[in-house]
Amino acid sequence: MDKFRKLLWWGWLIFWLGWTVTQMNGGREAFWLQISNKCPNCNLSDARLSSAYLVNADLSGANLSGANLSNAFLTNANLSRTNLSDANLSGASLSYLPFFGRSANLSGAYLIRTNLSGANLSGVNFTHARLNNARLGGATLDANLEDADLSGADLRGAYQGGANLKGANLKGADLRGADLSGANLSGANLRGANLRGANLTGTDLTDTYIQGAIGLKK
């Protein structure tokens, strides 16, 4: 009887593992990531990793385009050179990421209500990304945010830990209702950006390019 139970248990485990792998876009690589927390240069495009615990994970150089990482925990993960274009990172925790890398691609990504506070986002491509109500306080954000949606985003504390938006490209960005109090926007490009209802208390706009900006009085 004990032998039968063991066989039944192992059979169920093998079935469950096999079913899990087949249900994940990304297959074996996604499964290996869940076990080892490491998958550099992996092809994880369209992978389903919602709510995954990937704190300190190594995803450097991985292709995660179109992946579902909503509500995932990615604090302190290595995402240098990672392709996250069109990925869903809504509600994810990416706070205090040490470095994305200048070739990191988050164009068209969904980062709604995502926690990016304190993260180093220098040089990241956020064109057409949706960062509605994202938490970006204290983040280093001298990045390409052209046509990004930052409405309602928390961009406070630009001088915390050296974090700022100095020189950031915010051309055509939607910053309606965003909190930019204390932010460093010196040298940033705000051409055609929409800042209606944004909080600009104490914001540094030295040498900021504001031609065509809506709702901004320098």
Side-chain angles (χ1 to χ4, degrees):
M1 190 65 179
D2 287 340
K3 187 176 181 180
F4 175 75
R5 286 177 178 172
K6 285 181 180 179
L7 286 171
L8 186 64
W9 187 86
W10 278 107
W12 169 250
L13 179 61
I14 292 168
F15 169 79
W16 180 81
L17 290 174
W19 182 86
T20 301
V21 171
T22 58
Q23 290 300 303
M24 289 180 179
N25 288 350
R28 286 176 296 179
E29 290 184 323
F31 183 61
W32 177 249
L33 172 63
Q34 296 277 24
I35 294 174
S36 68
N37 218 31
K38 294 180 180 180
C39 207
N41 302 309
C42 285
N43 182 10
L44 294 160
S45 58
D46 299 314
R48 290 191 285 268
L49 294 161
S50 178
S51 301
Y53 186 81
L54 298 169
V55 174
N56 299 315
D58 183 2
L59 286 159
S60 55
N63 179 13
L64 283 152
S65 59
N68 183 0
L69 288 150
S70 57
N71 301 307
F73 297 90
L74 288 151
T75 301
N76 208 40
N78 183 353
L79 295 169
S80 61
R81 300 174 292 105
T82 305
N83 181 7
L84 285 155
S85 57
D86 300 311
N88 183 359
L89 290 146
S90 297
S93 178
L94 293 99
S95 57
Y96 299 100
L97 289 177
F99 192 55
F100 258 109
R102 290 195 172 270
S103 57
N105 185 6
L106 280 92
S107 59
Y110 286 77
L111 295 131
I112 301 166
R113 300 182 308 280
T114 300
N115 183 5
L116 287 152
S117 54
N120 186 345
L121 306 169
S122 180
V124 175
N125 181 8
F126 283 108
T127 56
H128 300 285
R130 293 193 60 181
L131 292 127
N132 317 66
N133 300 302
R135 293 167 58 190
L136 291 150
T140 303
L141 206 56
D142 53 332
N144 185 1
L145 290 148
E146 184 171 348
D147 294 319
D149 187 347
L150 289 145
S151 55
D154 180 357
L155 293 146
R156 291 176 296 173
Y159 296 111
Q160 296 175 21
N164 58 65
L165 291 101
K166 183 177 180 179
N169 181 15
L170 289 152
K171 180 182 176 183
D174 186 351
L175 288 152
R176 288 176 298 171
D179 190 347
L180 289 150
S181 55
N184 181 2
L185 282 163
S186 60
N189 181 5
L190 285 166
R191 182 177 181 180
N194 190 341
L195 290 114
R196 282 197 180 103
N199 183 355
L200 297 166
T201 305
T203 302
D204 185 353
L205 293 167
T206 306
D207 297 323
T208 303
Y209 190 71
I210 61 171
Q211 183 178 355
I214 302 167
L216 178 62
K217 294 181 181 179
K218 189 173 178 182

